[in-house]
Amino acid sequence: MRYGHFDDKRREYVITRPDTPLPWINYLGSTAYFGLISNTAGGYPFYRDARLRRISRYRYNNVPLDTGGRYVYLRDDRSGAFWSPTWQPVRRDLDTYTCRHGLGYTIIESSCEGIEARLRYFVPLDDSLEIWQVTLTNRRAEPADLSLFPSIEFCLWDAYDDAANFQRNFSVGEVEIEDGVIYHKSEYRERRDHFAYFACSGAIAGYDTQRDAFLGPYRGWDNPAAVERGACSQSHAHGWAPVGVFQTRLSIAPGASESVIVLLGYHENPRDDKFDPPGSQTINKRTVRPIIERYLDPAAVEAAFDRLASTWDALVGRCQVATPDVHTNRMINIWNAYQNMVTFNLSRSASLFESGVGRGMGFRDSNQDLLGFVHMVPARARERLLDIAATQLESGGAHHQYQPLTKRGNAGAGSNFNDDPLWLVLAVAAYLKETGDWGILAEPVPYENQPGTEAPLWDHLERSIRYTLDRLGPHGLPLIGRADWNDCLNLNTFSDEPGESFQTTANRDGHVAESVFIGGLFVLAAQEMAAMACHRDGADAGRFLSAADRMTQTVRQHGWDGAWFLRAYDDFGDRVGSATCAEGQIYIEPQGICVMAGIGLDNGLARQALDSVRERLATPHGIMLHQPAYTQYYLHLGEISSYPPGYKENAGIFCHTNPWIMIAEAMAGNGDRAFDYYTRINPSAREDISEIHRCEPYVYAQMIAGRDAPTHGEAKNSWLTGTAAWNYVAITQWILGIRPDYDGLRIAPVLPGDWDGFTATRVCRGTTYQIAVRRAGPGNTVSLEVDGQPVEGDCVPWTNRESVSVVATVR
Ligand code: BGC
Ligand code: NOJ
């Protein structure tokens, strides 16, 4: 069943009923002021940090779902009837309703009682505010007398405290109201230099700033007393819960329209110029007034929207394709690229599944996310890489997370996830292939942000490699540490204390448990090091290659279980992910990563491993993490066995890992299988089963419930997941085969058999490549013509020409 449809031309998803299975959200903002917004205007904004600078309140886990948002009430002042044109929070039936989520904006349109409403929400590129453009059209035969009430509930900045520390919170709320603008200034009197503001272009007939005055005692946002009676009470918040509400009256002639602009913004003042007059407690508004005035002007708002739209056009324009498959096209051209940018901006901080108060930037997450956005924002990818590398420890290890505001490692989240440092190598390699900016390897970068410890980025990468080699276990495989990519495979944790963190507890010395996955990852990283070393001065390339070879041999010898790659050895030296195990016999991760590293491609092991995946792990909804699921808690395996079977790391379809199998299948030459797996989890291809999938059909979710769960096929944790980057890499670089490499742009498609080809435009290193791929035979052998001239191999050498045309024939 569907709840909407794609409008690819406008790059929008159009939701046609408000009661989607879950709130279907979008993101606003691209540099500092961010927000999430649902299809019924739920959600919240924040400035840079979703915990520490939360601007408005949102009630996670509330009933009904999705409470707290950018709400506007419409009231017919003749009849007293009122409704929300975004459906929530009043939830009165609307005669028509659509929500269009686009790139960086959301438009909600509806009609009720003959009044059409259109609300467009967006954040301009360079300023720290959001704009709500409200347009009302009177479709009645008579004039309409309406009141419009835009409203927001302010958060007292620290979202965690805001939901916990009520003995203080109920006494600190403060606002100012001046020239028709509401300023939220809680804690401004002391150490904060920032405040929020709420402004409205309409003539102000009334306002409220104290929540209870607006809602009335024991009432909710679904029927505020002020809206019901048609009048605000000009309340001034002191303590309790500051809100911003305006009432503006509109008389609209039949057929006519009226527009109102609403602004919600964040502003910082210089510390020594906070108050005006100095010495008073009144906010200095000289710095913010010009911004407010500017955006209350409709022409400025339109110009800001146009700039936002053209920025997104340019970003997604760097890779556009036309294939025979509509789902592939819209994901690559629009939604997967967009999701990659959202993960770049938000990491794992704020979504409907991430409350914004918890996790910082993951070391491994950020490195992998980069694979999906490096081609859109190479300069920002560079900065991100240097930030990440600066949190690396001198041992070569990594803080598992760092904080976005301070860019410092987060000691509380632990370290010793032994895969972490290797992802830095892969991310730097991807950046170099995309940009050719070899200078980055010489950039001085500190360890653990300690001044005086600066060393070239290249040394950081070497330490990443050495970190693995210094930590080999009894079989010569890498020791797993706290966990590897699978955060829940906690082989040294042995936790029997309720609530204890699986991520930071360790009850074993860690000298036994080994990871085959890290073995494969190491081979991949060491091969990239060798390639980078060749480009530098050639020195050390041999050393990295022989380290990769040695590890390959070790994986073959101790990491092969008979029909697939083993997952790990536990603290007792026993096999994990083996046919000899009662549960958890085969895991997806080592099959993907080992084949991607080339292990077993030459001797049939890769094929056998991938066939085992197909036989044991593949479902119509995607490939499960392992089988059989763990039916009980195992002390020696940790969090993985804490989940009920079929969810998350316990045999869920953890979508992040599926593209590794797609890539492995492509490397093994099987385009049909690679594309089949791609399609199984492609959200657009799952749109028809939205009642089962339930999450947004335009973005990837971290997980789809596996076969063992009663809800098999149901997605969770949409938006902020490494799934976005990896699927993008799998489809664009390995199935379509457009793959930047050190020497040139490789065109090495491994297509499904029934495709006759595709075309693509790819911008890379200042050159626009117009690519046409044509199938002339059933295989994967490519011959290239570059600007009409035949070129040996499958690689178009880098050039400084502005545009290059490539014809690739596949036989
Ligand atoms: C989740 C993992 C996640 C980890 C992060 C676990 O509860 O299952 O997916 O990586 O938390 O701390
Ligand atoms: C989500 C985490 O963000 C990621 O780092 C991890 O690899 C996966 N879960 C698997 O546990």
Side-chain angles (χ1 to χ4, degrees):
M1 182 179 158
R2 289 183 181 212
Y3 294 81
H5 55 86
F6 287 91
D7 183 342
D8 294 339
K9 236 186 156 145
R10 293 175 51 159
R11 298 197 176 116
E12 292 173 341
Y13 189 80
V14 188
I15 301 166
T16 49
R17 48 187 287 181
D19 56 340
T20 43
L22 293 166
W24 284 1
I25 71 164
N26 190 16
Y27 284 87
L28 308 177
S30 32
T31 41
Y33 186 103
F34 294 105
L36 38 107
I37 181 163
S38 75
N39 56 310
T40 59
Y44 59 90
F46 58 91
Y47 180 76
R48 289 192 193 276
D49 186 308
R51 171 169 173 181
L52 299 175
R53 299 282 190 280
R54 183 79 61 99
I55 293 166
S56 76
R57 273 195 185 137
Y58 186 78
R59 292 181 173 77
Y60 278 92
N61 211 8
N62 205 47
V63 279
L65 266 184
D66 196 27
T67 26
R70 302 160 171 95
Y71 295 143
V72 162
Y73 300 86
L74 274 178
R75 181 178 189 276
D76 184 326
D77 283 335
R78 293 190 185 178
S79 70
F82 65 92
W83 65 95
S84 304
T86 58
W87 192 59
Q88 287 253 56
V90 175
R91 288 188 304 283
R92 204 185 127 182
D93 283 347
L94 300 168
D95 297 327
T96 64
Y97 159 92
T98 57
C99 166
R100 292 177 169 269
H101 284 320
L103 307 187
Y105 66 89
T106 287
I107 299 170
I108 301 177
E109 290 170 292
S110 66
S111 55
C112 187
E113 303 226 351
I115 304 298
E116 271 174 25
R118 178 181 197 264
L119 289 93
R120 182 165 76 177
Y121 297 95
F122 75 99
V123 172
L125 281 176
D126 305 317
D127 281 310
S128 295
L129 79 163
E130 59 184 63
I131 300 174
W132 315 353
Q133 284 175 281
V134 187
T135 304
L136 303 176
T137 305
N138 178 6
R139 294 288 174 212
R140 300 174 181 171
E142 323 80 52
D145 292 324
L146 303 171
S147 277
L148 177 82
F149 299 82
S151 58
I152 197 77
E153 181 174 0
F154 294 111
C155 180
L156 302 178
W157 303 117
D158 180 331
Y160 185 81
D161 258 35
D162 187 67
N165 192 6
F166 301 104
Q167 61 80 24
R168 173 176 164 85
N169 294 350
F170 288 159
S171 294
V172 300
E174 287 191 286
V175 296
E176 282 180 35
I177 303 144
E178 194 180 299
D179 295 335
V181 179
I182 295 170
Y183 296 89
H184 172 229
K185 57 179 275 197
S186 299
E187 296 186 344
Y188 190 76
R189 64 170 52 249
E190 32 127 346
R191 291 153 296 174
R192 294 190 187 277
D193 309 324
H194 47 262
F195 56 87
Y197 56 88
F198 195 54
C200 171
S201 68
I204 310 273
Y207 63 85
D208 269 307
T209 64
Q210 184 63 280
R211 188 181 66 196
D212 270 11
F214 176 64
L215 297 182
Y218 292 94
R219 293 166 71 119
W221 289 94
D222 52 349
N223 69 336
V227 176
E228 191 176 88
R229 74 175 170 261
C232 287
S233 56
Q234 288 65 255
S235 55
H236 282 231
H238 282 279
W240 298 114
V243 298
V245 179
F246 293 112
Q247 177 178 10
T248 178
R249 291 210 170 90
L250 301 161
S251 289
I252 313 180
S257 298
E258 291 283 346
S259 292
V260 173
I261 295 167
V262 178
L263 308 179
L264 174 62
Y266 169 96
H267 192 74
E268 282 175 7
N269 266 337
R271 180 146 286 198
D272 57 4
D273 198 16
K274 277 172 62 166
F275 300 109
D276 187 19
S280 76
Q281 287 294 307
T282 313
I283 299 175
N284 164 13
K285 304 183 186 76
R286 278 174 282 118
T287 51
V288 74
R289 234 178 253 124
I291 302 172
I292 299 176
E293 276 162 22
R294 174 153 151 239
Y295 286 109
L296 286 177
D297 168 12
V301 170
E302 284 311 315
F305 186 80
D306 291 347
R307 277 191 59 216
L308 179 71
S310 51
T311 299
W312 275 110
D313 285 349
L315 285 174
V316 299
R318 296 179 70 91
C319 179
Q320 291 286 301
V321 302
T323 77
D325 179 56
V326 62
H327 306 297
T328 304
N329 296 344
R330 69 164 62 107
M331 288 312 288
I332 296 178
N333 295 344
I334 308 167
W335 292 100
N336 198 172
Y338 182 56
Q339 187 177 3
N340 290 341
M341 285 304 296
V342 172
T343 57
F344 164 66
N345 285 325
L346 280 289
S347 187
R348 302 292 175 271
S349 68
S351 72
L352 287 192
F353 303 87
E354 301 283 4
S355 63
V357 303
R359 303 210 273 161
M361 314 274 294
F363 192 94
R364 81 158 84 83
D365 292 338
S366 302
N367 280 310
Q368 290 173 85
D369 290 347
L370 184 137
L371 307 177
F373 64 73
V374 61
H375 69 292
M376 289 184 278
V377 284
R380 297 177 80 189
R382 183 183 215 271
E383 190 186 328
R384 175 65 56 84
L385 279 174
L386 298 177
D387 286 348
I388 299 170
T391 69
Q392 190 178 23
L393 309 172
E394 294 205 64
S395 64
H399 280 294
H400 196 46
Q401 287 181 6
Y402 70 98
Q403 292 310 120
L405 267 191
T406 61
K407 298 187 174 179
R408 295 292 156 117
N410 178 355
S415 57
N416 297 338
F417 292 79
N418 282 353
D419 64 315
D420 270 341
L422 295 171
W423 295 109
L424 179 64
V425 177
L426 298 194
V428 170
Y431 172 78
L432 286 173
K433 292 174 186 175
E434 181 69 34
T435 62
D437 170 21
W438 290 92
I440 194 174
L441 293 178
E443 254 334 296
V445 183
Y447 289 98
E448 238 195 315
N449 300 104
Q450 291 308 313
T453 62
E454 288 78 3
L457 179 62
W458 176 253
D459 292 25
H460 284 252
L461 304 187
E462 286 211 274
R463 285 197 196 192
S464 296
I465 293 289
R466 212 180 315 141
Y467 182 84
T468 303
L469 293 175
D470 287 349
R471 287 167 184 74
L472 299 180
H475 298 90
L477 288 163
L479 291 170
I480 195 168
R482 278 193 196 291
D484 58 22
W485 173 89
N486 191 328
D487 269 327
C488 299
L489 194 61
N490 313 125
L491 302 183
N492 294 301
T493 299
F494 286 78
S495 172
D496 56 9
E497 194 59 47
E500 193 169 62
S501 164
F502 287 106
Q503 309 292 317
T504 52
T505 307
N507 289 308
R508 291 295 182 276
D509 65 10
H511 290 137
V512 179
E514 298 166 289
S515 162
V516 176
F517 174 84
I518 302 181
L521 185 63
F522 175 85
V523 174
L524 208 50
Q527 287 165 348
E528 295 291 6
M529 289 297 283
M532 288 186 252
C534 280
H535 261 266
R536 280 158 53 86
D537 49 11
D540 293 330
R543 184 162 60 84
F544 293 119
L545 276 185
S546 53
D549 284 348
R550 273 197 309 278
M551 187 63 78
T552 299
Q553 294 316 323
T554 308
V555 170
R556 284 189 182 182
Q557 199 181 342
H558 298 292
W560 181 252
D561 191 58
W564 54 79
F565 292 99
L566 193 66
R567 181 64 177 84
Y569 289 95
D570 66 19
D571 180 61
F572 308 107
D574 292 335
R575 297 178 157 229
V576 179
S578 158
T580 60
C581 301
E583 303 187 318
Q585 294 176 338
I586 172 172
Y587 277 69
I588 189 174
E589 306 100 301
Q591 323 312 326
I593 214 82
C594 291
V595 178
M596 284 165 70
I599 307 174
L601 278 173
D602 53 346
N603 64 354
L605 295 191
R607 187 68 272 152
Q608 208 181 346
L610 294 173
D611 288 348
S612 298
V613 166
R614 190 154 188 98
E615 205 176 295
R616 293 170 177 256
L617 297 178
T619 80
H621 296 292
I623 312 170
M624 295 174 288
L625 202 63
H626 62 257
Q627 275 294 297
Y630 295 111
T631 55
Q632 59 182 74
Y633 177 59
Y634 293 97
L635 190 66
H636 67 290
L637 298 178
E639 187 172 4
I640 192 164
S641 59
S642 74
Y643 288 110
Y647 293 123
K648 293 276 290 183
E649 279 88 342
N650 188 10
I653 294 159
F654 218 95
C655 296
H656 185 136
T657 60
N658 281 218
W660 297 342
I661 301 298
M662 299 166 203
I663 296 171
E665 285 287 5
M667 291 179 77
N670 199 328
D672 281 324
R673 281 200 188 171
F675 188 69
D676 170 28
Y677 290 140
Y678 174 73
T679 304
R680 291 185 197 202
I681 64 166
N682 181 328
S684 162
R686 296 172 60 78
E687 187 194 19
D688 283 339
I689 53 161
S690 283
E691 78 285 6
I692 297 172
H693 185 81
R694 301 187 79 226
C695 277
E696 297 91 337
Y698 39 92
V699 289
Y700 285 99
Q702 181 199 63
M703 193 227 12
I704 297 173
R707 196 166 56 204
D708 302 279
T711 55
H712 184 31
E714 180 188 57
K716 282 190 192 132
N717 302 9
S718 54
W719 281 99
L720 303 181
T721 160
T723 309
W726 274 111
N727 273 279
Y728 193 82
V729 169
I731 185 70
T732 59
Q733 299 194 14
W734 295 92
I735 298 176
L736 302 189
I738 305 174
R739 191 157 75 241
D741 212 333
Y742 298 107
D743 298 323
L745 186 63
R746 212 165 278 288
I747 313 288
V750 183
L751 301 177
D754 59 358
W755 280 22
D756 52 8
F758 70 92
T759 59
T761 305
R762 175 70 159 85
V763 182
C764 197
R765 303 192 183 195
T767 304
T768 301
Y769 294 85
Q770 301 289 357
I771 302 161
V773 173
R774 282 201 293 261
R775 185 184 276 299
N780 300 311
T781 310
V782 172
S783 38
L784 288 185
E785 260 185 29
V786 178
D787 287 333
Q789 299 302 312
V791 164
E792 278 290 302
D794 61 7
C795 191
V796 185
W798 296 122
T799 162
N800 43 27
R801 287 210 299 286
E802 228 171 72
S803 97
V804 168
S805 112
V806 183
V807 177
T809 309
V810 181
R811 292 192 171 79

